[in-house]
Amino acid sequence: MNLSPRITRTRTTRTVVALLSLAALTACGDQSADKAPAGAAAKANTPAPTTTFTENGVTVTLSVADWQASKGTLTAVFTPEKKGFHLYSTELPPTGIEGVGRPTAVNVTGVLKTDGKLTAAADVRSISVPGVDAPMPVYPDGPVTTTLPVRADGKGDATVLLGYASCSAKEGCTIPVADHPVHLRLTDDGPTFDTH
């Protein structure tokens, strides 16, 4: 059978249109087996609650991530404002060594409780400080990210207490910060930072 080129193109075009339409309908079919419940999808798409403050030469950014079944991870990023400044280790005693330095610290009070140990995503190194006999455990110059597993013992108010001191070998140290409060509210929807 000899068909004119015009008829062949018309049939080819119809076939392509029919196949594309079928593919589009198949793609729009019911995919409920792959979908999470509507509430879980909404929470998964909600950004983690975050807040920031700056005090004594360090900017601290706090967030709460992976909040499920009243548990999550509190992350604090401590960023010295000036280049060449470091923070002290989380393992430093609360009053430092021979009174020098203060630990990088994250504690919680109220309905929020710790559910593990504070960890830092930086290696500790030791430095010598004039007038101090023992080596000082510090993090490398620049930002330090800490994480603390937390859980809620109900709904209500909580406070995150942050402490740190930043120092530079050339410029000395900033005034230490102890127990800087950041307030949270825990509801059925999870934690939110107070904005006042």
Side-chain angles (χ1 to χ4, degrees):
M1 161 157 60
N2 273 336
L3 298 174
S4 75
R6 182 173 175 229
I7 294 173
T8 302
R9 274 184 270 155
T10 304
R11 284 187 181 169
T12 303
T13 302
R14 285 184 198 155
T15 304
V16 169
V17 168
L19 289 173
L20 287 174
S21 297
L22 182 60
L25 288 173
T26 303
C28 293
D30 184 12
Q31 299 168 355
S32 60
D34 298 331
K35 290 183 182 178
K43 283 187 180 183
N45 293 332
T46 303
T50 302
T51 191
T52 300
F53 72 90
T54 301
E55 185 176 355
N56 296 353
V58 176
T59 298
V60 180
T61 302
L62 278 172
S63 63
V64 180
D66 304 323
W67 192 259
Q68 294 179 357
S70 297
K71 290 185 177 187
T73 302
L74 180 64
T75 300
V77 180
F78 298 84
T79 306
E81 292 183 299
K82 288 183 164 182
K83 189 174 181 169
F85 277 76
H86 60 262
L87 294 152
Y88 289 93
S89 166
T90 59
E91 300 299 322
L92 192 69
T95 57
I97 295 175
E98 298 176 31
V100 176
R102 292 296 179 268
T104 302
V106 179
N107 295 301
V108 292
T109 64
V111 297
L112 202 58
K113 308 295 181 198
T114 59
D115 201 33
K117 185 177 177 182
L118 178 67
T119 59
D123 293 329
V124 174
R125 61 186 179 96
S126 293
I127 62 170
S128 296
V129 175
V132 178
D133 293 332
M136 300 292 294
V138 301
Y139 297 114
D141 293 355
V144 175
T145 300
T146 62
T147 54
L148 179 66
V150 292
R151 62 180 165 74
D153 278 352
K155 292 159 191 49
D157 294 325
T159 303
V160 180
L161 300 170
L162 298 125
Y164 54 87
S166 66
C167 289
S168 164
K170 294 179 182 176
E171 296 186 44
C173 298
T174 61
I175 297 170
V177 173
D179 294 332
H180 178 101
V182 176
H183 302 285
L184 283 151
R185 178 168 296 279
L186 285 106
T187 66
D188 288 334
D189 295 329
T192 56
F193 290 101
D194 285 350
T195 55
H196 51 81

